[in-house]
């Protein structure tokens, strides 16, 4: 019987400690893999299962689940294949591609098996010390400064109104610019958590009021300053 396994991937390449052992059990049941990046997915699976014969399996790129990929996915379901779905980092379908193929599996009446694994969003929320009872993941904020500023003000207002943690991300090479805008825009009492390089040896997690982050931004020899987030995978969380 066909089954879809949603297979978590490492957040930091070669860091396998956060991956539960039962992920490998699921991988060994799969015949077909739909993946965000075939090369890195192959490398990932070969790392957690050294004996895996890569060429014994069918590999298909997701390509953001374009229509032709869904057609191929349905075909493999009808053939009774056991399918593994893998995105680039973390959990497929959570701020990563995969949800459209998962929806297709439900439409076909095929069992969907989500597996436990590292999610940068949840790890950041857990470590932030912020409200884990009410939270919202807002995804990417606008690129233009005016749109980004408005979005931050809206998130801050919603956070205050609902006492809700607001979680968001940015393309890694724009992280420092986003942090600068946050410090210019948000109120001094609003708390900001910066969670970067989660699960890696360079992991950085810190929650401070905006007023304290601004103090760190001032050049002094008595404190370490702001973290350099350029090209570092980072999760931001606000609580007003």
């Amino acid at each position: 019987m066909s089954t879809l396994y949603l297979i978590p991937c490492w957040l930091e390449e070669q860091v396998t400690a956060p991956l539960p052992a039962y992920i490998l059990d699921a991988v060994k049941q799969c015949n077909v893999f739909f993946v965000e990046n075939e090369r890195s997915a192959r490398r990932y699976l070969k790392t957690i299962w050294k004996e895996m014969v890569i060429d014994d399996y069918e590999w298909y790129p997701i390509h953001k689940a374009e229509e032709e990929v869904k057609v191929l996915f349905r075909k493999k379901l009808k053939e009774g294949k056991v399918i593994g779905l893998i995105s680039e980092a973390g959990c497929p379908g959570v701020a990563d591609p995969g949800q459209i193929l998962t929806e297709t599996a439900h439409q076909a009446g095929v069992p969907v098996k989500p597996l436990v694994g590292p999610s940068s969003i949840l790890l950041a929320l857990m470590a932030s010390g912020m409200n884990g009872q009410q939270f919202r993941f807002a995804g990417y904020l606008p690129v233009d400064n005016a749109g980004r500023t408005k979005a931050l003000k809206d998130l801050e207002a919603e956070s205050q109104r609902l006492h809700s943690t607001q979680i968001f991300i940015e393309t890694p090479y724009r992280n420092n610019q986003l942090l600068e805008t946050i410090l210019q825009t948000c109120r001094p009492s609003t708390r900001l958590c910066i969670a970067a390089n989660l699960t890696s040896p360079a992991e950085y997690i810190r929650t401070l009021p905006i007023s304290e982050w601004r103090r760190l931004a001032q050049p002094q020899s008595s404190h370490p300053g702001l973290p350099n987030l350029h090209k570092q995978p980072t999760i931001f969380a606000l609580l007003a």
Side-chain angles (χ1 to χ4, degrees), residues 72-84:
L72 181 58
F73 184 77
R74 291 189 192 100
K75 180 175 183 292
K76 296 303 169 183
L77 294 179
K78 289 179 180 178
E79 291 174 2
K81 301 290 188 180
V82 177
I83 299 174

Side-chain angles (χ1 to χ4, degrees), residues 30-233:
C30 295
N31 321 108
V32 178
F33 294 98
F34 280 77
V35 299
E36 184 177 358
N37 183 299
E38 184 174 342
R39 179 176 294 181
S40 60
R42 285 171 175 247
R43 186 165 60 246
Y44 164 57
L45 294 185
K46 191 69 175 176
T47 299
I48 65 172
W49 183 16
K50 290 181 172 56
E51 297 79 17
M52 183 181 191
V53 181
I54 293 292
D55 293 336
D56 286 353
Y57 300 83
E58 297 179 57
W59 300 85
Y60 301 101
I62 296 174
H63 288 321
K64 297 184 180 179
E66 296 169 351
E67 190 58 40
E68 59 266 29
V69 178
K70 289 199 289 184
V71 170
L72 181 58
F73 184 77
R74 291 189 192 100
K75 180 175 183 292
K76 296 303 169 183
L77 294 179
K78 289 179 180 178
E79 291 174 2
K81 301 290 188 180
V82 177
I83 299 174
L85 179 59
I86 306 174
S87 58
E88 266 295 85
C91 302
V94 181
D96 260 343
Q99 70 274 10
I100 296 177
L101 294 185
T102 302
E103 179 187 20
T104 302
H106 283 296
Q107 291 169 348
V110 169
V112 174
K113 303 287 187 181
L115 305 183
V116 173
S119 164
S120 58
I121 297 167
L122 290 179
L123 290 173
L125 177 63
M126 290 165 62
S128 69
M130 296 179 179
N131 188 0
Q133 303 300 318
Q134 289 197 66
F135 57 91
R136 172 194 175 198
F137 177 62
Y140 290 92
L141 301 191
V143 174
D144 66 287
N145 196 57
R148 176 185 291 169
T149 299
K150 182 182 184 303
L152 284 168
K153 288 181 177 178
D154 290 345
L155 290 176
E156 190 178 42
E158 181 175 313
S159 177
Q160 184 175 41
R161 183 171 63 87
L162 300 175
H163 190 58
S164 171
T165 303
Q166 305 291 316
I167 306 167
F168 49 94
I169 56 177
E170 179 54 285
T171 302
Y173 66 83
R174 287 199 291 262
N175 279 335
N176 285 339
Q177 293 94 315
L178 174 57
L179 177 56
E180 182 180 347
T181 306
I182 294 170
L183 299 188
Q184 291 172 349
T185 303
C186 293
R187 295 191 293 270
S189 60
T190 293
R191 285 192 289 157
L192 169 68
C193 176
I194 299 173
N197 295 307
L198 291 165
T199 75
S200 84
E203 183 176 82
Y204 177 95
I205 307 171
R206 195 168 187 190
T207 298
L208 291 170
I210 293 294
S211 59
E212 287 296 303
W213 285 116
R214 287 174 181 165
R215 187 181 64 82
L216 291 180
Q218 302 303 313
Q220 296 178 14
S221 59
S222 60
H223 58 66
L226 293 176
N228 182 4
L229 304 175
H230 185 59
K231 294 186 177 180
Q232 309 302 311

